[in-house]
Amino acid sequence: MERLIFICFAVFRAGVVVQMVGSTVWLAFESDLPAGSAAMCFAAAAWSVLLFAHVWRRGSFADCSTWWCAADVGVGLAALVSAVLTLPAPLLVGTWHAWAYAYTAVVAPSVAAWAQPGLRSVGLAGGLAAAYVITVLPPNT
């Protein structure tokens, strides 16, 4: 059962990572994509590959250190912050320039798998949700 959960989360994350990397490469050639946004996109993609390779070797999310979960949430938060700091407001909603929101949406479900039921999962997911909402509220968008 744990492998099935891992595979589901990996497929969800891979789907978003493929889209965000593909759109970032395309946008870099077609428009003035800020370098900071592109760098954060490739860092988040590399992190995802490293993370899921580690979980696969360990056998399950629960068998990994909580620090891996905290780092995963940290990368999601860094992606949100980089989007707000590097992109002009009109590009923050409704475009793949703002890939960070889709990335964060696939980080959130894995928090429950990492932290197991309890206050840690509520705290981590709540912090991620709060950052998501804060970055999409005016005057950020």
Side-chain angles (χ1 to χ4, degrees):
M1 185 63 153
E2 293 263 349
R3 285 285 185 189
L4 183 59
I5 291 170
F6 168 82
I7 291 168
C8 288
F9 286 158
V11 168
F12 293 147
R13 179 84 60 109
V16 169
V17 167
V18 165
Q19 290 178 72
M20 71 187 210
V21 168
S23 65
T24 296
V25 169
W26 181 78
L27 291 168
F29 287 111
E30 295 294 321
S31 66
D32 294 330
L33 181 71
S37 178
M40 187 65 222
C41 175
F42 294 124
W47 165 254
S48 292
V49 170
L50 176 69
L51 169 71
F52 278 88
H54 177 73
V55 174
W56 181 261
R57 278 182 305 203
R58 296 294 301 220
S60 75
F61 287 98
D63 290 338
C64 297
S65 165
T66 305
W67 289 109
W68 284 88
C69 175
D72 196 28
V73 171
V75 171
L77 293 173
L80 289 172
V81 170
S82 76
V84 171
L85 294 178
T86 62
L87 296 173
L91 298 178
L92 285 174
V93 176
T95 72
W96 267 102
H97 285 84
W99 56 266
Y101 300 111
Y103 181 78
T104 304
V106 294
V107 168
S110 61
V111 170
W114 285 107
Q116 301 299 314
L119 291 178
R120 283 188 306 177
S121 64
V122 172
L124 288 169
L128 198 56
Y132 187 103
V133 169
I134 289 167
T135 59
V136 297
L137 289 176
N140 294 324
T141 56

mmCIF file of all heavy atoms in Angstrom, residues 61 64-72 114-115 120 124:
data_model
loop_
_atom_site.group_PDB
_atom_site.id
_atom_site.type_symbol
_atom_site.label_atom_id
_atom_site.label_comp_id
_atom_site.label_asym_id
_atom_site.label_seq_id
_atom_site.Cartn_x
_atom_site.Cartn_y
_atom_site.Cartn_z
ATOM 1 N N PHE A 61 7.264 7.213 2.644
ATOM 2 C CA PHE A 61 7.452 8.548 3.206
ATOM 3 C C PHE A 61 7.708 8.469 4.703
ATOM 4 O O PHE A 61 8.546 9.180 5.237
ATOM 5 C CB PHE A 61 6.208 9.413 2.956
ATOM 6 C CG PHE A 61 6.033 9.851 1.541
ATOM 7 C CD1 PHE A 61 5.184 9.168 0.685
ATOM 8 C CD2 PHE A 61 6.708 10.955 1.049
ATOM 9 C CE1 PHE A 61 5.006 9.570 -0.621
ATOM 10 C CE2 PHE A 61 6.548 11.364 -0.253
ATOM 11 C CZ PHE A 61 5.702 10.678 -1.094
ATOM 12 N N CYS A 64 11.243 8.031 6.118
ATOM 13 C CA CYS A 64 12.218 9.105 5.908
ATOM 14 C C CYS A 64 12.162 10.084 7.066
ATOM 15 O O CYS A 64 11.135 10.234 7.726
ATOM 16 C CB CYS A 64 11.918 9.840 4.607
ATOM 17 S SG CYS A 64 12.060 8.795 3.155
ATOM 18 N N SER A 65 13.245 10.765 7.273
ATOM 19 C CA SER A 65 13.328 11.773 8.318
ATOM 20 C C SER A 65 12.326 12.897 8.060
ATOM 21 O O SER A 65 12.031 13.246 6.916
ATOM 22 C CB SER A 65 14.745 12.341 8.345
ATOM 23 O OG SER A 65 14.800 13.529 9.092
ATOM 24 N N THR A 66 11.834 13.480 9.141
ATOM 25 C CA THR A 66 10.928 14.623 9.036
ATOM 26 C C THR A 66 11.606 15.804 8.356
ATOM 27 O O THR A 66 10.936 16.650 7.770
ATOM 28 C CB THR A 66 10.432 15.028 10.442
ATOM 29 O OG1 THR A 66 9.845 13.889 11.056
ATOM 30 C CG2 THR A 66 9.412 16.137 10.372
ATOM 31 N N TRP A 67 12.924 15.848 8.395
ATOM 32 C CA TRP A 67 13.644 16.946 7.733
ATOM 33 C C TRP A 67 13.399 16.946 6.235
ATOM 34 O O TRP A 67 13.395 17.996 5.607
ATOM 35 C CB TRP A 67 15.140 16.871 8.047
ATOM 36 C CG TRP A 67 15.405 17.225 9.473
ATOM 37 C CD1 TRP A 67 15.786 16.373 10.470
ATOM 38 C CD2 TRP A 67 15.255 18.507 10.074
ATOM 39 N NE1 TRP A 67 15.891 17.049 11.649
ATOM 40 C CE2 TRP A 67 15.576 18.365 11.444
ATOM 41 C CE3 TRP A 67 14.885 19.749 9.599
ATOM 42 C CZ2 TRP A 67 15.530 19.435 12.321
ATOM 43 C CZ3 TRP A 67 14.836 20.819 10.494
ATOM 44 C CH2 TRP A 67 15.164 20.647 11.833
ATOM 45 N N TRP A 68 13.194 15.782 5.641
ATOM 46 C CA TRP A 68 12.878 15.728 4.213
ATOM 47 C C TRP A 68 11.545 16.406 3.946
ATOM 48 O O TRP A 68 11.371 17.111 2.959
ATOM 49 C CB TRP A 68 12.874 14.283 3.710
ATOM 50 C CG TRP A 68 14.245 13.733 3.545
ATOM 51 C CD1 TRP A 68 14.998 13.112 4.500
ATOM 52 C CD2 TRP A 68 15.046 13.780 2.377
ATOM 53 N NE1 TRP A 68 16.217 12.768 3.977
ATOM 54 C CE2 TRP A 68 16.271 13.164 2.673
ATOM 55 C CE3 TRP A 68 14.842 14.277 1.087
ATOM 56 C CZ2 TRP A 68 17.290 13.028 1.744
ATOM 57 C CZ3 TRP A 68 15.864 14.137 0.153
ATOM 58 C CH2 TRP A 68 17.072 13.528 0.486
ATOM 59 N N CYS A 69 10.596 16.188 4.839
ATOM 60 C CA CYS A 69 9.282 16.837 4.712
ATOM 61 C C CYS A 69 9.428 18.344 4.867
ATOM 62 O O CYS A 69 8.870 19.121 4.081
ATOM 63 C CB CYS A 69 8.326 16.297 5.771
ATOM 64 S SG CYS A 69 6.726 17.113 5.808
ATOM 65 N N ALA A 70 10.169 18.766 5.880
ATOM 66 C CA ALA A 70 10.363 20.200 6.107
ATOM 67 C C ALA A 70 11.053 20.845 4.914
ATOM 68 O O ALA A 70 10.691 21.951 4.487
ATOM 69 C CB ALA A 70 11.170 20.420 7.382
ATOM 70 N N ALA A 71 12.033 20.156 4.340
ATOM 71 C CA ALA A 71 12.723 20.701 3.163
ATOM 72 C C ALA A 71 11.785 20.778 1.964
ATOM 73 O O ALA A 71 11.822 21.744 1.190
ATOM 74 C CB ALA A 71 13.943 19.845 2.831
ATOM 75 N N ASP A 72 10.917 19.792 1.813
ATOM 76 C CA ASP A 72 9.958 19.801 0.713
ATOM 77 C C ASP A 72 9.008 20.992 0.848
ATOM 78 O O ASP A 72 8.755 21.723 -0.119
ATOM 79 C CB ASP A 72 9.183 18.486 0.684
ATOM 80 C CG ASP A 72 8.461 18.248 -0.632
ATOM 81 O OD1 ASP A 72 8.918 18.745 -1.678
ATOM 82 O OD2 ASP A 72 7.444 17.535 -0.615
ATOM 83 N N TRP A 114 4.101 12.339 4.953
ATOM 84 C CA TRP A 114 5.326 12.519 5.727
ATOM 85 C C TRP A 114 5.055 12.551 7.216
ATOM 86 O O TRP A 114 5.650 11.825 7.988
ATOM 87 C CB TRP A 114 5.978 13.861 5.404
ATOM 88 C CG TRP A 114 6.677 13.961 4.132
ATOM 89 C CD1 TRP A 114 6.246 14.644 3.037
ATOM 90 C CD2 TRP A 114 7.915 13.399 3.769
ATOM 91 N NE1 TRP A 114 7.154 14.531 2.037
ATOM 92 C CE2 TRP A 114 8.190 13.780 2.457
ATOM 93 C CE3 TRP A 114 8.829 12.599 4.436
ATOM 94 C CZ2 TRP A 114 9.336 13.397 1.792
ATOM 95 C CZ3 TRP A 114 9.980 12.229 3.766
ATOM 96 C CH2 TRP A 114 10.211 12.625 2.467
ATOM 97 N N ALA A 115 4.210 13.481 7.574
ATOM 98 C CA ALA A 115 4.070 13.821 8.988
ATOM 99 C C ALA A 115 3.137 12.890 9.731
ATOM 100 O O ALA A 115 3.082 12.936 10.951
ATOM 101 C CB ALA A 115 3.578 15.265 9.113
ATOM 102 N N ARG A 120 1.667 17.902 13.595
ATOM 103 C CA ARG A 120 2.728 18.274 12.647
ATOM 104 C C ARG A 120 2.174 18.440 11.246
ATOM 105 O O ARG A 120 2.498 19.399 10.551
ATOM 106 C CB ARG A 120 3.846 17.230 12.627
ATOM 107 C CG ARG A 120 4.763 17.311 13.809
ATOM 108 C CD ARG A 120 5.924 16.382 13.617
ATOM 109 N NE ARG A 120 5.432 15.026 13.341
ATOM 110 C CZ ARG A 120 6.205 13.999 13.065
ATOM 111 N NH1 ARG A 120 7.496 14.164 13.003
ATOM 112 N NH2 ARG A 120 5.703 12.818 12.841
ATOM 113 N N LEU A 124 2.233 21.971 9.229
ATOM 114 C CA LEU A 124 2.947 22.118 7.959
ATOM 115 C C LEU A 124 2.007 22.466 6.813
ATOM 116 O O LEU A 124 2.274 23.380 6.030
ATOM 117 C CB LEU A 124 3.720 20.843 7.638
ATOM 118 C CG LEU A 124 4.941 20.579 8.499
ATOM 119 C CD1 LEU A 124 5.452 19.160 8.275
ATOM 120 C CD2 LEU A 124 6.034 21.582 8.198
#
